[in-house]
Amino acid sequence: MTFSELATYLDQLEATSSRNALVRILAEAYKACSVEEIEPITYLIQGRLAPFFEPVEMGLGERLLMSAIATAYGTSKEDVTKTYKQTGDLGLTAMSLGPKTRDDTPSVIEVHQRLWEIAGLSGEGSLKAKLDLFAALLGDLDAASAKHLVRITLGKMRLGIGDPTVLDALSFAKKGDRSLRPVLEAAYNRSSDLGLIAKTLWAQGLEAIEAIKVTVGKPLRSQLAERLPNPEAVIKKLGLVGVQPKYDGFRVQIHKDGGVVNIFSRNLETMTPMFPELVAATVSLPVKSVILDGEAIAYSPESEEYVPFQETTARRRKEGIDEFATRVPLRAFVFDVMFRDGTDLTPLPYEQRFAIVDEMLKGSDTLQTAPLTKTDSVEVLTRELLDNISRGLEGVVAKRLDSPYQAGARNFNWVKLKRNTSGELTDTIDVVLIGYYGGKGKRAEFGAGALLAGVYDSERDEFVSISKLGTGLSDEGWRDLHKQLSRLEVGEKPARVNSLLVPDVWLQPELVVEVLADEITPSPRHTAGMVGDQPGFALRFPRIVSFRSADKKPEDATTVREIREMFQQQHQRAVRD
Ligand code: AMP
C-alpha cells in the first residue's frame, strides 16, 4: 500500500461521524494490507510509530514543521505562517501548499521507516537533520498525504479510533463479523500492543494470538475494581476476602528485566523517568525479571504523612524530579505480582501471588507490600474501612483470595469501598468532557460556562452524555481550563460521541474529570445507557473533585455498565433504608 492510498482511507475515516462506518472503512483498509504493512499501519492510524507504551517521539514541534513545509514546497516561512493563520491547522496548511498529485509516492512501510529514523536522531545537530529528513519526506508526498503526515508527526490525528474499534475492524477484515473480538481483546489485555496483534493475526492466525504471552517490557492492561455499596454487600458477594488500604496515589506497573526497569502508568504510558527511587529499589530486588502492580504515593518524612494525588503527580513536569525525590520521596505499595523469572503468575490465586510478592519485598523500604487482612466478617471489614479512612486514606479494596489476575477486567475479584465527605458510602465518577456552553465572546472572559460531560460506553466504543457541569471554578480556574479546552475544540460532533444535546462547542473527548454527584437519575435528555425508548442516566448535582487526565485516558472514564450498576445499588439502598 502506498502512503497515498492510506491517506485516502484516513480521509474517509475523518469524514464519517458514525462508529459503524469507522469500523467498516478500517476493515477495508486492513483487508488491503500485507503481513508487513499491517503493523506499521495499525500504529500510524492511531497517530503513532510504535505501541502506546513505547516513548517514541518524533521531536518536531509546530515551528520546525513550518520550516520543513517551507523547504519542501519552496515557499517562504511567511507564506506558511499566513496559510496556517487562515486554516488553523498545520496539516491543512501542508495540504494547501503541497502538489495535488505526485508520481511514485513512497509505500506506507517506507514512510514509517523514514519517520522512525527521524525519531531516532538525538544529540548535537539532530534538529537540523530531523528537519532535512522530514522536508525530504514531505517533498515525496502529494498534498493529501502531507496533511496526514503532519498530523501524525504532531500527534494530532483526531480520527477518533479507539482500541475497541481497531479490534472490531481486525475481526471484520478477517472473519466478516465481530466474533474474533474476544480472543483479540484477551491478547491485547496481556500485551497492550495492537500492532503485534494485527501482525500475528495476519501472519500466523488465531492460534498464535492465543499464544501471545505476558512479557516483561510490555505492560498488561490494569485489573480494575468494581463497587459495592457497603461491607455487608461485599461479604455477601465475595465471602472470605483479603482487605487492603486503598491509597490515593498513582498506579504503577513496574517491570524489571535484568538491570532494566520500566514503569508504566495506569493508562500504559511509560513513566520511568518520573520515579528514580522506585527504579533504584526495583533494580536491587532479588529476582532477574518481574512485573509488579502497585500504587505509588509521595510520603513526607517530616510530617509522616502521605501526600495527596495532585501533589504526587506534580512530578510529571520534568523539572525538579530530583528535588521532589528528596523532599517527598515516593513509596510504592505493591499489591500484586504478575510475572517472575520467566513464569506467568497471572493464573495463580491471589493468595499465592500475594505470598510471593510479600516474600520478595522483604527488606525493601521503598517498595512495600500493601498490608492484607483476611476476613469473612462484616465487622472486621467495617473496622478496616473506618480505620483506613481515619488515617487519611481513601478506603479499602477487598479482593477475592482465589482469583487470578485478569488483565483489563473490571469485575468482583476486586471491590473498592470508599466514603464520601457527607458520610455516605458512594464513589466518584470519572467523566469525559465532550463540549461546553456559553463559551463564546464576553461570557467566556467572565468565567461563566457549563461543560457537557459524558461517560464511556465500552461495548460500543462511544462517549455518551450524562450531565452538564457548572464548573464551580474561580474565574482564573475557568480561564485555565478554557485554555486546555481550546486545544480540543472541533467544528463538528466527533465520530465516537453520541449526544442528543448540542453544546456551543464540541470537544475532542480527552479530558477526564472526577466528579461527585448526589444521585444518578433516569433522564430522557442524556444518551448514557439509553436503549431504544428507555431513558438514559443523568447525574444530579455534580461537583468537580479533580482533573484526572494525568492518569486516565478517555476510555478509562466510568463506563455505562458501571453507571447502571451504581444506579441499581442506589435503588437497593433506597429501598432498604
Ligand atoms: P478507582 O480508580 O477508583 O477505580 O480505584 C481503583 C484504583 O485504586 C486502582 O486503579 C489503583 O490505582 C488504586 N488502588 C489503591 N490501593 C489499591 C489496592 N490496595 N489494590 C488495588 N488498587 C488500589
Side-chain angles (χ1 to χ4, degrees):
M1 191 183 293
T2 61
F3 191 80
S4 178
E5 284 164 334
L6 176 64
T8 311
Y9 286 116
L10 295 178
D11 277 337
Q12 289 176 29
L13 291 168
E14 198 184 330
T16 182
S17 60
S18 128
R19 143 106 166 122
N20 282 342
L22 283 182
V23 172
R24 188 177 43 74
I25 299 162
L26 195 53
E28 258 172 54
Y30 272 143
K31 271 197 225 160
C33 281
S34 69
V35 170
E36 291 74 34
E37 286 162 352
I38 198 159
E39 189 183 27
I41 284 179
T42 299
Y43 299 135
L44 288 170
I45 53 165
Q46 295 203 308
R48 311 219 18 112
L49 297 183
F52 197 73
F53 57 83
E54 279 187 32
V56 181
E57 301 297 339
M58 229 88 77
L60 286 169
E62 286 200 346
R63 285 204 21 224
L64 287 168
L65 285 179
M66 285 162 80
S67 303
I69 293 171
T71 312
Y73 302 140
T75 54
S76 65
K77 273 195 202 158
E78 290 71 42
D79 239 12
V80 178
T81 313
K82 208 172 96 201
T83 318
Y84 182 32
K85 281 211 178 109
Q86 282 158 6
T87 59
D89 173 332
L90 215 48
L92 291 177
T93 305
M95 184 163 93
S96 77
L97 296 170
K100 292 288 156 278
T101 56
R102 183 155 247 151
D103 295 333
D104 290 337
T105 56
S107 69
V108 174
I109 295 180
E110 181 185 332
V111 171
H112 182 260
Q113 273 167 356
R114 287 167 75 175
L115 290 175
W116 191 261
E117 197 184 328
I118 293 171
L121 294 171
S122 63
E124 212 179 306
S126 64
L127 269 192
K128 167 98 176 59
K130 276 176 195 273
L131 211 125
D132 290 347
L133 288 179
F134 192 83
L137 180 53
L138 264 187
D140 288 345
L141 295 175
D142 57 89
S145 303
K147 173 180 82 176
H148 293 293
L149 184 79
V150 166
R151 287 186 182 164
I152 289 172
T153 308
L154 285 173
K156 287 192 179 158
M157 283 289 274
R158 304 217 166 154
L159 295 174
I161 296 177
D163 304 337
T165 301
V166 173
L167 294 170
D168 275 347
L170 284 169
S171 177
F172 264 100
K174 197 76 187 170
K175 194 77 190 299
D177 57 30
R178 285 196 165 83
S179 62
L180 303 185
R181 162 106 178 248
V183 178
L184 299 176
E185 192 161 333
Y188 178 53
N189 287 337
R190 294 191 293 274
S191 66
S192 306
D193 188 343
L194 287 173
L196 171 78
I197 284 162
K199 186 175 86 179
T200 309
L201 183 64
W202 254 234
Q204 295 161 282
L206 208 59
E207 267 177 31
I209 294 282
E210 281 168 349
I212 290 178
K213 296 221 161 52
V214 173
T215 315
V216 183
K218 284 186 192 288
L220 287 82
R221 304 203 51 232
S222 301
Q223 159 125 21
L224 300 168
E226 268 287 357
R227 304 171 173 79
L228 282 172
N230 50 42
E232 289 83 9
V234 174
I235 297 297
K236 191 163 163 227
K237 183 147 186 113
L238 280 72
L240 180 66
V241 289
V243 189
Q244 282 173 336
K246 186 173 192 301
Y247 304 94
D248 185 18
F250 195 91
R251 181 93 178 247
V252 282
Q253 196 179 109
I254 306 174
H255 289 231
K256 168 177 174 169
D257 190 3
V260 181
V261 173
N262 269 305
I263 299 180
F264 303 101
S265 67
R266 172 194 153 114
N267 66 18
L268 313 179
E269 259 182 276
T270 304
M271 289 280 150
T272 319
M274 204 172 127
F275 301 121
E277 47 302 41
L278 302 189
V279 173
T282 309
V283 167
S284 45
L285 288 181
V287 279
K288 278 209 193 70
S289 62
V290 76
I291 304 179
L292 302 171
D293 198 354
E295 188 87 355
I297 185 160
Y299 177 77
S300 158
E302 274 162 37
S303 63
E304 298 184 2
E305 271 177 356
Y306 293 106
V307 177
F309 172 81
Q310 300 290 357
E311 223 176 295
T312 303
T313 52
R315 277 202 194 203
R316 277 174 68 89
R317 291 181 225 117
K318 294 226 164 57
E319 325 82 60
I321 286 183
D322 289 340
E323 191 221 311
F324 252 112
T326 352
R327 196 162 53 83
V328 270
L330 277 180
R331 289 187 172 171
F333 286 95
V334 177
F335 44 75
D336 225 311
V337 55
M338 294 84 105
F339 186 92
R340 182 189 55 173
D341 290 339
T343 310
D344 176 1
L345 303 180
T346 57
L348 292 186
Y350 182 53
E351 195 163 15
Q352 283 185 35
R353 298 199 307 279
F354 184 80
I356 292 171
V357 75
D358 202 29
E359 178 63 35
M360 192 190 305
L361 300 185
K362 277 208 171 98
S364 172
D365 201 30
T366 303
L367 301 175
Q368 304 196 1
T369 34
L372 187 82
T373 308
K374 290 179 205 168
T375 185
D376 60 359
S377 139
V378 174
E379 287 71 41
V380 176
L381 179 55
T382 309
R383 200 179 60 220
E384 286 291 316
L385 173 64
L386 297 178
D387 216 38
N388 280 297
I389 290 168
S390 67
R391 288 168 52 216
L393 296 171
E394 256 195 316
V396 294
V397 185
K399 300 178 177 179
R400 281 185 67 133
L401 293 167
D402 58 357
S403 61
Y405 189 94
Q406 283 183 285
R410 185 188 291 282
N411 57 32
F412 290 95
N413 289 343
W414 294 8
V415 177
K416 56 184 168 180
L417 279 174
K418 295 200 239 176
R419 165 178 261 212
N420 80 17
T421 39
S422 67
E424 232 198 83
L425 282 173
T426 54
D427 195 7
T428 53
I429 292 164
D430 293 321
V431 295
V432 187
L433 304 185
I434 56 177
Y436 66 89
Y437 293 88
K440 287 183 193 140
K442 270 255 170 290
R443 292 188 67 191
E445 277 167 42
F446 294 125
L451 301 160
L452 182 62
V455 288
Y456 183 52
D457 186 329
S458 52
E459 268 123 63
R460 289 193 276 185
D461 191 17
E462 274 180 352
F463 298 94
V464 281
S465 84
I466 190 158
S467 187
K468 280 192 188 174
L469 281 178
T471 63
L473 292 170
S474 64
D475 283 5
E476 199 187 337
W478 171 245
R479 240 174 260 134
D480 272 357
L481 177 63
H482 208 257
K483 256 188 239 149
Q484 291 197 57
L485 296 182
S486 58
R487 188 175 59 84
L488 302 173
E489 283 175 16
V490 280
E492 281 173 51
K493 185 182 76 60
R496 283 194 300 157
V497 170
N498 174 359
S499 167
L500 297 175
L501 297 178
V502 179
D504 291 339
V505 182
W506 288 107
L507 296 171
Q508 194 64 30
E510 235 173 69
L511 271 185
V512 180
V513 176
E514 184 184 12
V515 299
L516 194 60
D518 279 9
E519 215 184 339
I520 296 170
T521 53
S523 157
R525 286 160 15 109
H526 287 287
T527 45
M530 191 175 268
V531 191
D533 53 8
Q534 275 183 32
F537 295 112
L539 303 181
R540 191 151 172 261
F541 300 137
R543 286 87 75 191
I544 294 178
V545 178
S546 72
F547 289 88
R548 292 307 291 246
S549 293
D551 69 332
K552 291 194 176 166
K553 284 204 279 187
E555 290 85 0
D556 293 323
T558 303
T559 60
V560 169
R561 192 172 64 91
E562 290 176 79
I563 295 286
R564 184 169 288 119
E565 280 166 9
M566 290 168 93
F567 177 72
Q568 280 157 3
Q569 286 174 12
Q570 167 192 300
H571 197 65
Q572 284 159 11
R573 246 198 330 265
V575 172
R576 203 193 53 220
D577 297 349

